[in-house]
Amino acid sequence: MKLFAVCLLLVAAVTVTAQKKKQSGWKMAKGMMTEIKEGWNSSIDEMLDESTDSGLSSDVEMFLTQLKQSVCFGVEDVCESDMFLGCNCIREFQNLGEQCFQIPCNVVNFLLNDFSDFLRDFRDVLSFEDAMEVLTEQIYVPMMEAACECSDKLADATFNCIENYDAGVLDMIGRGTYEMIVGMLDLESMKKVMVAALAIHCNEVGEEACYQDFSNQMITWAKMMDKSMDGASKKDCTAYARVDKELAKYFKAMETEDMSKIVKAQYEMSKKAVCTPAKCAKYQANNFYSCCSVEGVDLAAEHELGENIGNILDNVMGLLSTISQDVDANLISREDLQIYLSTFDPETLCEGEKGVKEYKKKGKQCRKQRSEYEYGY
C-alpha cells in the first residue's frame, strides 16, 4: 500500500523517456525496468573483480582496508588522531557501549566480506520478488536489526559526530570549508527525521519488530508488481493492473518535469491502487495496513515527520539554488509534499471511497490493542 507509492515513484523517476505512441502503463514500466536492469548489471560487473579477496575492484578494496583501520576500534581505546572517522566520532560511538560501538566496523566488514556476494545475487535476479528478497534479507533486515538494538542513542551519536567531525581527511578539503557547509545544513531536522524513521521501523507489535513486518510487505508488493507487468487482469486484487491508465498518466506527467503535476498524478494512481474497488481495498488493508503500518502513520505524525522533511528540502534546495541557477529552490512546495505524504495514510487517502471502511476498521482494532503492549518511541 504505502510501499506502492514510494517504490513506484522511484522506479518511474529513474529513466523516463518521451512516449509519442500511446502505450499501456505497465508495458511502459516493464520496458523501462528491462533497461534499468541492463544498466545496473553493467555497473555491478564493473565493480566486481574475482582476483581480489573482497571480490570488489582493487581500488575499492584498498580504500576499505584503510578505512577499516579507522572504524574498527575497542570500546576503551584512546584516540589521539584518526584519518577517516576522527577521534570525536570514535568517542561518540564508544559511548554507545558494548556491541553498538561496533556499528561502523560492522558496516565496513560487510562491504569487505559480503558486499560482492550481494551484488552478484542482485545482478542475477529475474523478478521484482527476487530483487526484494535479496534486498530485505541481505541489507534491510540486518541493517535494521543492528540499528534497532542501538536506536536510543544512535541519532545523537551520528549527528554529534557530524557536527564535531575532526578526522585527518579534513586537512585535504579544508576544515573551514567543512564547518561552513555543516553550519548551513538543518541538522536538527535531519536528526528528527532519523529518530522518526528508527521509531517507525524499530517499533514492536505483538513482540515482533516492525521492520520484519515491513520486510514481508515489501516482498508481497514485489509479487504484485511482477503480476502487474506480466499482464494480470484489472479485476485481480493481487496485482496493480487496475491502475494501468493512471500509471500511463503518471509517466506523461514525468515528462513535464512539473513537480505539482507529477505529485497529483502519483496521488491519483495511489488512490486508485489503495482505495478501489472495495474488495481490493480489503486485500490491501489485510496485506499492508498491519498494526505496524497503523502505528507507523501515528508515529510519523507524533514526530512531525512531514514538517521536518519539508524543512530539509527547503534547506537543501535553498542552498543548492545559491550555488547553481539551474536549481529551483521551490522544486516541491509544502502543499505538494503534504499531498504526497498523504498517500502513506490510507485512512486519509481513501476518504469518500467505500474502501476506506477497511482501513478505518484496521486502524480502530490496532489502536485499541495498544494498551496491551508498550507503544511509542
Side-chain angles (χ1 to χ4, degrees), residues 85-96:
L85 190 57
C87 290
N88 287 335
C89 292
I90 287 174
R91 283 189 283 270
E92 287 292 339
F93 281 96
Q94 285 175 325
N95 289 337
L96 293 178

Side-chain angles (χ1 to χ4, degrees), residues 162 178-190 312 315-316 319:
I162 293 171
Y178 176 83
E179 291 172 0
M180 179 186 69
I181 293 172
V182 169
M184 295 169 69
L185 295 175
D186 186 354
L187 294 181
E188 185 61 28
S189 292
M190 293 179 184
I312 294 169
N315 174 236
V316 172
L319 291 176

Side-chain angles (χ1 to χ4, degrees), residues 308-341:
N308 286 305
I309 291 175
N311 291 342
I312 294 169
L313 287 173
D314 289 347
N315 174 236
V316 172
M317 298 311 297
L319 291 176
L320 291 177
S321 67
T322 63
I323 298 172
S324 172
Q325 294 181 345
D326 295 330
V327 177
D328 181 4
N330 300 308
L331 179 64
I332 181 168
S333 68
R334 289 293 180 114
E335 181 182 358
D336 289 336
L337 178 62
Q338 289 305 315
I339 291 172
Y340 172 70
L341 292 175

Side-chain angles (χ1 to χ4, degrees), residues 136-147:
T136 55
E137 291 175 8
Q138 298 187 35
I139 302 293
Y140 173 68
V141 170
M143 177 185 72
M144 294 313 307
E145 186 175 30

Side-chain angles (χ1 to χ4, degrees), residues 94-109:
Q94 285 175 325
N95 289 337
L96 293 178
E98 294 293 337
Q99 300 303 317
C100 293
F101 82 92
Q102 297 180 17
I103 286 178
C105 184
N106 291 339
V107 170
V108 174
N109 279 333

Side-chain angles (χ1 to χ4, degrees), residues 13-110:
V14 178
T15 53
V16 177
T17 55
Q19 302 289 331
K20 294 183 180 180
K21 182 179 178 182
K22 189 174 181 180
Q23 191 176 4
S24 158
W26 285 110
K27 285 183 179 179
M28 291 164 63
K30 188 170 185 177
M32 196 181 305
M33 290 311 302
T34 298
E35 293 180 11
I36 292 171
K37 188 175 189 304
E38 290 174 353
W40 83 44
N41 283 357
S42 176
S43 297
I44 288 173
D45 286 338
E46 291 179 6
M47 295 174 66
L48 297 173
D49 186 342
E50 299 293 342
S51 68
T52 64
D53 292 336
S54 66
L56 302 172
S57 68
S58 57
D59 289 343
V60 171
E61 181 177 275
M62 183 181 301
F63 171 72
L64 290 174
T65 301
Q66 294 174 341
L67 185 61
K68 182 176 179 178
Q69 297 174 10
S70 178
V71 302
C72 293
F73 46 83
V75 71
E76 296 183 356
D77 287 356
V78 177
C79 177
E80 295 182 358
S81 65
D82 184 78
M83 184 63 181
F84 294 109
L85 190 57
C87 290
N88 287 335
C89 292
I90 287 174
R91 283 189 283 270
E92 287 292 339
F93 281 96
Q94 285 175 325
N95 289 337
L96 293 178
E98 294 293 337
Q99 300 303 317
C100 293
F101 82 92
Q102 297 180 17
I103 286 178
C105 184
N106 291 339
V107 170
V108 174
N109 279 333
F110 168 78

